[in-house]
Amino acid sequence: MIAPDGALSIERHRPAADPAIDCFYVYPTVSNDPTWQSDLQPDEAEYSAVRLQFARFGEVCRLFAPLYRQGTLRRLRAPAGGPAPQGEPPPPGVGGYADVRAAWRWYLAHENRGRGVVLIGHSQGGAMLTRLIAEEIDGQPAQTRLVSALIIGAPVTVPAGADVGGSFRSLPLCRSAGQTGCVVSYATYRDRVPPPADARFGRAREGLRIACLNPARLAGGPGRPRSYFLTRGFLNGSGGTEQPEWLKPPRDIATDFVTTPGLLTTECVRRGEFDYLELRVNADPADPRADDLAGHIVRATGPDYSWGLHLIDMDHAMGSLVDLVRAQAQAYGARPGEDRP
């Protein structure tokens, strides 16, 4: 932890000994396999995603992170001039969502045993969960087991001014930490770099708005998230802008992660056709902490602002998301027995 006065301290991760709920995670696009889809052999890319985006939830839930044959980074980058994936594209229904659905059904049949479960996904993983919820959970018996769904960096739609409808028929947006059976979703852009015309996230579509919930303040308005950042670099080694030194003058930080209380403010905003989570760095030149933050994807031609702060969508709010799941687990456990399976 880096305090506002620059003091360093170690915060230990403490997994829950006997968590009351489960968490089911679908990771984002991380595979460096050269083909259209990844194989079913995990490597450092998949393990890194779990360490960065999911392991900390072990403080409050049992962890399930199924491997799936996802669309690879090469497949994602090819339209922008990257190398073409090797081999032929997989036929419809092979890998991808089919793997995630199979893993979910296996979990329900063999591991759930009536326990509450939180679904967590980012980017490609979030899109997989949106489809899974719509097809396998929304309005079906499994919905009673849903503590919440955290769908980050992937669109969830709602009618303007409403919390229900659009992507899901009956699952509302989460408006308080004590609410369960609901959805949290957002995509992050920097306050000084709002979504450009070619932005990939946040744009209203088909008469619906994009949901934005601020984990640091679900009820609305600005909040200060509990962040956990990689000390150096980004998930899957993506070519992001270089992180400035966390302290001035620079000091050695031996841990893989840093948390910086009060350094950021986030708030859901609506600008024209865009709804998104706006992130501001609370720069103070008088204190020793960093006055800026990296997170934009970089191409050969420079920063690609269409992605916003997609690389750190979960990092900047990780502690707040864990706190939210902790509160929701307590609320779910307090529900009358007849409301649970």
Side-chain angles (χ1 to χ4, degrees):
M1 178 185 296
I2 308 176
D5 63 0
L8 300 179
S9 60
I10 300 294
E11 178 185 303
R12 303 290 181 186
H13 173 63
R14 293 180 173 84
D18 186 22
I21 65 167
D22 297 339
C23 288
F24 184 96
Y25 168 66
V26 186
Y27 49 87
T29 310
V30 296
S31 176
N32 287 303
D33 291 349
T35 45
W36 290 83
Q37 279 188 344
S38 63
D39 56 30
L40 286 173
Q41 297 297 318
D43 55 28
E44 183 57 27
E46 286 85 6
Y47 290 128
S48 292
V50 170
R51 284 195 295 268
L52 176 59
Q53 294 192 339
F54 191 48
R56 202 169 297 276
F57 288 96
E59 296 176 15
V60 293
C61 55
R62 288 197 308 166
L63 303 180
F64 294 86
L67 193 68
Y68 70 106
R69 287 170 287 183
Q70 68 167 210
T72 61
L73 285 166
R74 180 171 287 203
R75 177 180 181 175
L76 177 66
R77 293 166 176 165
Q86 297 176 5
E88 296 296 322
V94 173
Y97 174 71
D99 287 350
V100 173
R101 182 183 60 194
W104 170 251
R105 290 176 176 177
W106 188 95
Y107 160 78
L108 285 181
H110 298 279
E111 289 287 349
N112 180 263
R113 301 184 180 94
R115 293 163 61 89
V117 58
V118 177
L119 302 181
I120 303 169
H122 178 239
S123 192
Q124 182 174 174
M128 295 287 177
L129 286 183
T130 298
R131 182 176 174 185
L132 183 77
I133 293 169
E135 295 184 3
E136 302 280 318
I137 298 172
D138 191 7
Q140 301 187 47
Q143 185 172 341
T144 62
R145 305 180 192 182
L146 186 69
V147 177
S148 66
L150 311 182
I151 300 175
I152 314 302
V156 170
T157 60
V158 289
D163 284 353
V164 182
S167 294
F168 309 124
R169 298 185 304 275
S170 59
L171 268 65
L173 305 182
C174 297
R175 294 298 182 182
S176 71
Q179 183 180 357
T180 61
C182 57
V183 179
V184 171
S185 185
Y186 62 84
T188 317
Y189 283 84
R190 185 68 185 269
D191 59 336
R192 67 187 189 203
V193 189
D198 62 346
R200 296 173 180 263
F201 308 104
R203 190 191 306 271
R205 58 187 66 186
E206 298 177 353
L208 299 170
R209 304 296 305 195
I210 300 298
C212 181
L213 288 305
N214 182 4
R217 193 170 182 179
L218 286 176
R224 294 200 171 186
R226 286 208 307 126
S227 307
Y228 288 92
F229 294 105
L230 283 171
T231 305
R232 288 286 179 270
F234 302 99
L235 177 66
N236 70 38
S238 294
T241 47
E242 184 175 353
Q243 172 63 47
E245 294 291 344
W246 290 105
L247 285 164
K248 306 166 292 187
R251 294 167 62 184
D252 182 54
I253 298 175
T255 55
D256 292 331
F257 295 90
V258 296
T259 183
T260 53
L263 185 63
L264 306 179
T265 295
T266 52
E267 182 175 10
C268 285
V269 299
R270 172 171 293 180
R271 290 196 169 89
E273 60 183 337
F274 290 100
D275 297 271
Y276 61 96
L277 189 65
E278 183 178 80
L279 181 147
R280 181 175 74 249
V281 179
N282 300 314
D284 183 355
D287 75 28
R289 295 198 301 184
D291 292 329
D292 205 351
L293 184 70
H296 287 113
I297 290 174
V298 174
R299 307 296 188 196
T301 55
D304 184 349
Y305 296 124
S306 70
W307 288 88
L309 294 176
H310 195 63
L311 294 179
I312 58 171
D313 266 331
M314 292 193 69
D315 313 40
H316 72 68
M318 179 56 64
S320 297
L321 291 169
V322 172
D323 291 342
L324 171 60
V325 169
R326 181 181 290 109
Q328 290 176 323
Q330 293 171 353
Y332 183 86
R335 287 164 50 182
E338 60 268 21
D339 288 347
R340 301 199 305 271

